[in-house]
Amino acid sequence: MNLNDTDFELFAVQASFAQDRAALDARWKELQREAHPDRFAAQGAAAQRVAMQWSVRINEAYQRLKDPIKRASYLCALNGHPIDAEKNTAMPPDFLMEQMEWREELDEARDAAAFDKLRAEVEAGRARALSSLDCLIDEKADYAGAARQVRALMFIERFAEDIEAKSEALGQ
């Protein structure tokens, strides 16, 4: 193992969007056991510091690999297409239209039925976006397209939070 390995190399998995969560979980536990600072107590403070660095690195990699949006973002960045959501707001055109419709629906939502309908639409949009990432990354290696889709997913996540905030504010 090398601190400069990619997360995929560190976890000994293929660099792809599709991942087996159980395999990631098992590998994380295995890596944590190997790098736990207590295993290096007899070797002194320097060895424990290195073990702590490894433990942090393993946890950071695990957080990226287990989350589909973070994993897709990481794959895009590794392949020359960083998300740069702060600077780059390009998203798929069809998603921009859907996003405007959702905003209008949220503005008009006043009862539980309206919020439930909007939640279902947003969750369906999220599922479609995740499915398209699988195709864009693993089948087509279209990292520019995947980066646009990741930005759309980031919007969906924030918008889902907006739905919950408004729903709670209205006591729904």
Side-chain angles (χ1 to χ4, degrees):
M1 291 190 314
N2 181 327
L3 280 174
N4 295 321
D5 284 349
T6 69
D7 295 351
F8 299 101
E9 292 167 337
L10 180 61
F11 273 69
V13 295
Q14 185 177 2
S16 64
F17 180 71
Q19 292 293 327
D20 178 348
R21 177 63 189 267
L24 290 175
D25 292 348
R27 180 69 174 144
W28 174 73
K29 289 176 185 174
E30 177 185 326
L31 288 169
Q32 282 296 13
R33 271 192 306 276
E34 289 176 19
H36 197 280
D38 289 350
R39 291 192 64 210
F40 300 89
Q43 295 177 21
Q48 284 185 305
R49 277 193 301 278
V50 170
M52 183 60 73
Q53 286 178 318
W54 269 107
S55 187
V56 168
R57 171 71 178 93
I58 291 163
N59 283 330
E60 289 172 345
Y62 178 64
Q63 294 304 314
R64 267 188 300 271
L65 292 179
K66 75 176 187 171
D67 181 279
I69 296 174
K70 290 177 183 177
R71 182 171 58 247
S73 297
Y74 184 61
L75 280 162
C76 288
L78 285 176
N79 288 280
H81 293 277
I83 302 307
D84 290 332
E86 311 80 40
K87 299 177 207 161
N88 186 343
T89 58
M91 291 187 217
D94 56 330
F95 178 74
L96 293 173
M97 292 302 297
E98 187 176 43
Q99 162 184 330
M100 290 185 339
E101 291 169 12
W102 286 349
R103 279 281 165 211
E104 289 173 11
E105 285 183 52
L106 182 58
D107 289 344
E108 296 169 6
R110 298 284 178 261
D111 59 24
F115 286 109
D116 289 344
K117 178 181 178 286
L118 190 52
R119 282 184 192 105
E121 289 175 17
V122 170
E123 186 52 41
R126 183 179 192 281
R128 283 190 308 274
L130 284 170
S131 177
S132 73
L133 279 176
D134 192 23
C135 176
L136 288 167
I137 293 172
D138 291 348
E139 294 174 26
K140 297 180 179 178
D142 178 3
Y143 296 100
R148 286 189 298 277
Q149 199 64 276
V150 168
R151 286 188 290 275
L153 269 163
M154 293 168 77
F155 170 84
I156 289 171
E157 296 294 318
R158 285 189 305 273
F159 187 71
E161 292 170 8
D162 292 348
I163 293 170
E164 295 313 312
K166 183 171 181 183
S167 175
E168 287 176 18
L170 294 175
Q172 300 294 322

